[in-house]
Amino acid sequence: MRKIIHVDMDAFFVSVEIRDNPDLVNKPVAVGGSKQSRGVLSTSNYIARQYGVKSAMPTSIALQKCPNLILVPGRMDVYKLVSSQIREIFERYTNIIEPLSLDEAYLDVTECKLFDGSATLIAQDICSSIYKELNLTASAGIAPIKFLAKVASDLNKPNGIFVIPPNHVDSFIDDMELRKIPGVGKVTNEKLLRDNLRYGRDVKVLNLEKLISKYGKLGKLLWDRCSGNDDRPIIISRERKSIGVERTFPEDISDLSILNSILIEKLLPELQKRAITHLIENGIGKIGVKVKFSDFHQTTKELSINRIDEAALCELLKEAIGRGGGKKVRLLGIHIGLLSRNDEVEQISFEW
Ligand SMILES: [Mg+2]
C-alpha cells in the first residue's frame, strides 16, 4: 500500500505577491494581464473569488465583477525561486517527487520514516514548514493512490489537509462526484450526467465493455478510477531541456520540397502547440532539425536563436540533408532547446 501526498499551494502567484507587498493584504487581488492589453487572470486571491473572479477569466470581465480588484503583473522569476524553495522542503521527506506545475506536486512518502511513517503527520509538517519558512499556505491530500490524493487536496482548501485512509477508499469513491476526477472536464461531466452518471458508485456497477463502447478511452479511465485502480507511479521528472516532434515515414523520402512541406505543415504547428505551456516558464535558446537517413545514420543541425523561425528551420533542414550525400530520409524531427537554470543539455523528444 502506497502513501501519496498531493501538495497544492493556495492561490500561489497571488499569495506570493501579497506576502511581498503588505499593502495588498485583505484586498481583492489578482495576477494577470491588463484590461487594456486584453489580458486574462492567472490567479486571484480568495477575497476576489468571492466576487466570482476566477483563473483564466478575461481581466475586463473580472473588473466588472469586482471593480476594486487590484491587478498585479506576474513575476515568474520570483515564483520559480519560491517553487524551488518549496521543493527543498519536500526533499526533506522523500526524493520521489513529481511536480505538476510550479505550485503543485505529488510526493510518494511510502518509505519515509519520519513521524513513525504517518503520512498525515508528514503532510501536516510539510505544510507547517512551508508556512513557517516561506510565509505561504499550502493544502494537502493524502491517499494510497494518486488521483485520490489530488482530489483530497482540494477538499479543505485553503490551508487544510484531507486524508483518505486505505479502508475509506471505496466509500469515498462511491460518494465522489465524477467531475472531481482529474481528466473529467465540464463537457464530459455534462455528458455523464445526461446518462445519469453522477457519483463513483454509478460507474462502479456498470459493465466495463459497455463503458468503453460508449465512452472509449474515457470509459476505461472512469471505470478504473471508480474501482480504485490507479497504480500510476510518481514520476520523478527532471527539468525539461528541449521539446521536439518527429515523424518516421512509411516510405523513405528523398525530395527536399516534400520534406520542407512536412516540416512546415505538420511538424511546426505541433511543435508550437507543445511549446506554449513550457515557454511560459522557459525561453527558447535554440532550434534544431534532426534527420535520420535510410541507413539509420542520424544528423542534427542546430541554431542559437530565441524564437521558432520557419525559414531558419528550412535552412537547417537543407544543410542536414546535404550531409546525407543523396541518401533518402526515414525520419524528420524538429526541436527547440529551452533555456534553463544550469543550461545542461538533455534531449527529450516525442514519438508520433
Ligand atoms: Mg495551487
Side-chain angles (χ1 to χ4, degrees):
M1 193 62 80
R2 292 186 295 162
K3 297 173 191 169
I4 295 174
I5 303 175
H6 178 257
V7 180
D8 187 14
M9 300 300 294
D10 302 324
F12 182 53
F13 294 174
V14 79
S15 300
V16 172
E17 295 302 331
I18 295 168
R19 178 193 73 172
D20 294 350
N21 180 2
D23 288 348
L24 301 175
V25 173
N26 292 327
K27 291 175 186 159
V29 186
V31 169
S34 72
K35 179 180 159 187
Q36 289 73 22
S37 65
R38 302 158 64 85
V40 295
L41 299 187
S42 140
T43 329
S44 56
N45 69 346
Y46 287 88
I47 300 174
R49 290 181 200 187
Q50 285 170 6
Y51 293 85
V53 171
K54 285 183 185 145
S55 301
M57 181 178 270
T59 303
S60 55
I61 296 181
L63 285 167
Q64 282 168 24
K65 290 183 181 286
C66 180
N68 296 328
L69 184 68
I70 300 172
L71 200 67
V72 287
R75 295 180 298 157
M76 198 48 84
D77 50 336
V78 177
Y79 310 147
K80 276 159 84 172
L81 173 70
V82 178
S83 183
S84 67
Q85 292 168 331
I86 296 166
R87 192 187 163 97
E88 279 167 26
I89 293 176
F90 292 161
E91 284 170 354
R92 297 171 199 167
Y93 305 85
T94 179
N95 290 318
I96 309 174
I97 301 165
E98 179 180 340
L100 296 177
S101 63
L102 287 179
D103 81 317
E104 231 185 292
Y106 286 114
L107 282 65
D108 186 328
V109 296
T110 313
E111 302 297 330
C112 178
K113 298 283 177 268
L114 296 165
F115 301 100
D116 287 330
S118 160
T120 305
L121 296 178
I122 292 169
Q124 275 170 355
D125 201 59
I126 290 172
C127 292
S128 69
S129 298
I130 290 173
Y131 184 70
K132 274 185 275 185
E133 296 174 34
L134 303 175
N135 203 11
L136 294 165
T137 64
S139 298
I142 301 111
I145 53 182
K146 248 176 140 175
F147 94 94
L148 283 181
K150 187 164 164 70
V151 170
S153 70
D154 217 29
L155 294 177
N156 274 326
K157 222 171 197 337
N159 197 15
I161 70 168
F162 190 93
V163 187
I164 305 173
N167 59 339
H168 288 183
V169 163
D170 286 344
S171 61
F172 182 89
I173 292 175
D174 281 349
D175 297 335
M176 176 190 67
E177 288 190 87
L178 299 173
R179 64 183 177 89
K180 300 271 191 189
I181 299 175
V184 175
K186 207 175 160 202
V187 176
T188 304
N189 189 51
E190 280 163 11
K191 192 173 164 193
L192 293 168
L193 288 174
R194 281 197 295 277
D195 291 336
N196 278 318
L197 302 175
R198 180 183 290 269
Y199 299 104
R201 69 172 103 85
D202 302 331
V203 169
K204 214 157 130 174
V205 295
L206 297 177
N207 176 290
L208 174 61
E209 277 69 41
K210 273 189 192 154
L211 266 174
I212 291 176
S213 69
K214 181 136 202 196
Y215 292 102
K217 256 168 103 177
L218 176 76
K220 167 89 170 106
L221 181 122
L222 277 174
W223 196 84
D224 275 345
R225 299 292 182 269
C226 294
S227 311
N229 300 334
D230 181 9
D231 52 10
R232 291 172 300 157
I234 304 301
I235 297 161
I236 308 164
S237 55
R238 287 163 289 180
E239 191 187 1
R240 176 162 287 167
K241 303 294 173 4
S242 83
I243 303 166
V245 294
E246 58 186 43
R247 175 169 280 185
T248 303
F249 308 121
E251 279 175 46
D252 297 349
I253 298 173
S254 56
D255 189 331
L256 181 61
S257 67
I258 295 177
L259 291 166
N260 249 321
S261 61
I262 291 170
L263 187 157
I264 294 167
E265 288 161 27
K266 305 269 195 245
L267 296 174
L268 196 54
E270 186 73 12
L271 182 67
Q272 279 160 335
K273 207 169 93 192
R274 287 194 173 146
I276 284 170
T277 49
H278 296 284
L279 296 186
I280 297 167
E281 293 173 22
N282 295 291
I284 295 177
K286 62 186 177 188
I287 57 175
V289 169
K290 177 170 94 176
V291 170
K292 198 186 272 181
F293 295 104
S294 50
D295 61 358
F296 287 84
H297 274 106
Q298 186 175 307
T299 188
T300 300
K301 280 290 292 178
E302 293 185 327
L303 173 72
S304 291
I305 189 171
N306 61 4
R307 62 183 191 281
I308 302 175
D309 186 293
E310 182 182 307
L313 282 169
C314 291
E315 187 56 35
L316 291 171
L317 172 65
K318 204 172 130 193
E319 290 168 25
I321 299 292
R323 289 175 173 175
K327 281 183 281 190
K328 289 187 173 185
V329 173
R330 60 172 281 117
L331 175 149
L332 173 62
I334 59 175
H335 59 267
I336 50 180
L338 300 171
L339 294 172
S340 72
R341 283 189 289 266
N342 37 14
D343 256 336
E344 288 166 7
V345 181
E346 180 195 328
Q347 183 95 5
I348 300 169
S349 79
F350 299 85
E351 291 289 344
W352 288 35

